[in-house]
Amino acid sequence: MAAADELAFHEFEEASDLLAETPDAATTSGSNQLTPQGHVAVAVDSGGSYGAEEEVEESDRTALLQEEKQQPGFWTFGYYQSFFDVDTSQVLDRIRGSLLPRPGHNFVRHHLRNGPDLYGPFWICATLAFVLAITGNLTLVLAQRRDPSIHYSPQFHKVTVAGVTIYCYVWLVPLALWAFLRWRKGVRERMGPYTFLETVCVYGYSLFVFIPTVILWLIPVPWLQWLFGGLALALSAASLVFTLWPVVREDTRLVAAVLLSTVVLLHALLAVGCKTSRRRLQLEPTPPRNAQPKGVSLSGPA
């Protein structure tokens, strides 16, 4: 039987001294940590590892914030890459929205959803320019079959003229419209104009209806061609008016009427220009290569 003094509680002096020196220390006890003399090993933790973890987390958070704040400059490719980040379903949905305008249906709110793109407008303008040039050359070929005196030669410069005209229209007109609405916002506080990119996107998609219309202009019936052109102009202009109306209705009636009338008039001038450019191409055939110049006689002197 053990002696009474062996069963009595013994105060471990070494552990007490260590705890007194380091109040934040933690004591651990285990069979593998017992010294041969039976003393309890004391694990001293000064809190250094916990502070290191906090520093790592803080540095990671700072790095993430810096990555979010760093935006590529406008002179880099990455800045414009986000404007072309759109899939096929979104482009088709926006094309359908431009082809089927209706009152109360806002193209920006229902189709763009704060995500305007330049992919659709860029290719719509390029396709329209090529279609204008190709159909104009086809019209000249068909005219040659009816009149053998007409000599056909490809009019490649029409692609450049059509492309420059369409791209200038899609960029300069929205720029002027956006600047005017920004100026009117300072006059009328309740007005909330669209961004410049949204305005360009609306104008670009509104031109899609002219692509099938230009192809239908190959039908050699003048009144039918003007009918197709009028329907395309009505759909395209209605898409612009219904989109701009929620913005301009907060302004005075005079300013709203003048602004919408100007938008429709410029759109009509573009449509008429597309129609007359094809007609001019048809009416200005290139003379045959073996044609004799006027005022020059091939016979010898008398």
Side-chain angles (χ1 to χ4, degrees):
M1 184 173 180
D5 55 349
E6 293 180 357
L7 298 177
F9 178 79
H10 296 277
E11 183 176 1
F12 300 99
E13 296 179 356
E14 295 179 2
S16 301
D17 295 337
L18 288 174
L19 291 175
E21 294 177 0
T22 58
D24 296 334
T27 60
T28 60
S29 175
S31 59
N32 60 342
Q33 295 176 346
L34 290 176
T35 60
Q37 293 79 11
H39 292 176
V40 178
V42 179
V44 180
D45 186 4
S46 61
S49 61
Y50 180 76
E53 293 178 357
E54 283 188 345
E55 291 179 359
V56 172
E57 293 178 359
E58 186 67 24
S59 62
D60 293 341
R61 190 180 300 108
T62 304
L64 290 175
L65 291 176
Q66 289 178 355
E67 291 179 358
E68 293 178 357
K69 291 181 179 179
Q70 289 178 355
Q71 297 294 336
F74 68 92
W75 60 87
T76 61
F77 179 78
Y79 178 81
Y80 300 96
Q81 186 177 4
S82 60
F83 300 152
F84 293 85
D85 186 12
V86 63
D87 54 22
T88 305
S89 60
Q90 290 177 326
V91 174
L92 293 177
D93 178 69
R94 294 171 182 183
I95 290 176
R96 286 193 297 267
S98 65
L99 292 175
L100 301 174
R102 57 184 183 273
H105 188 79
N106 192 316
F107 182 83
V108 174
R109 186 174 67 252
H110 292 89
H111 296 281
L112 298 186
R113 298 184 181 90
N114 296 326
D117 68 286
L118 293 179
Y119 180 86
F122 175 81
W123 286 112
I124 288 173
C125 295
T127 305
L128 181 58
F130 276 99
V131 169
L132 278 171
I134 292 173
T135 55
N137 283 274
L138 288 177
T139 302
L140 190 56
V141 171
L142 296 176
Q144 182 187 17
R145 296 183 62 182
R146 295 191 300 267
D147 187 0
S149 63
I150 300 177
H151 177 73
Y152 167 74
S153 64
Q155 304 287 332
F156 294 110
H157 67 280
K158 296 294 182 181
V159 180
T160 304
V161 174
V164 171
T165 303
I166 293 172
Y167 277 106
C168 288
Y169 176 80
V170 172
W171 281 95
L172 297 181
V173 174
L175 177 62
L177 178 62
W178 172 77
F180 178 79
L181 292 177
R182 292 285 297 178
W183 172 69
R184 293 301 298 176
K185 181 182 178 181
V187 179
R188 311 286 294 185
E189 296 294 337
R190 295 180 59 184
M191 290 182 61
Y194 303 127
T195 63
F196 173 66
L197 187 59
E198 289 174 343
T199 309
V200 172
C201 192
V202 170
Y203 266 81
Y205 279 102
S206 68
L207 296 181
F208 180 83
V209 68
F210 289 103
I211 296 177
T213 302
V214 172
I215 297 176
L216 292 175
W217 281 346
L218 288 173
I219 302 175
V221 181
W223 67 267
L224 196 58
Q225 293 178 354
W226 285 108
L227 177 61
F228 290 147
L231 291 176
L233 175 61
L235 291 175
S236 185
S239 177
L240 294 176
V241 171
F242 293 155
T243 303
L244 295 174
W245 173 246
V247 177
V248 301
R249 67 182 178 184
E250 300 295 339
D251 210 328
T252 61
R253 292 183 179 180
L254 178 61
V255 174
V258 172
L259 179 61
L260 295 180
S261 300
T262 305
V263 169
V264 175
L265 178 61
L266 293 176
H267 221 58
L269 290 177
L270 178 67
V272 173
C274 294
K275 182 67 176 66
T276 55
S277 64
R278 293 180 70 261
R279 183 175 180 84
R280 189 180 303 111
L281 180 62
Q282 180 180 356
L283 295 177
E284 294 180 359
T286 304
R289 296 180 180 178
N290 56 356
Q292 178 180 351
K294 295 182 180 180
V296 177
S297 177
L298 297 180
S299 59

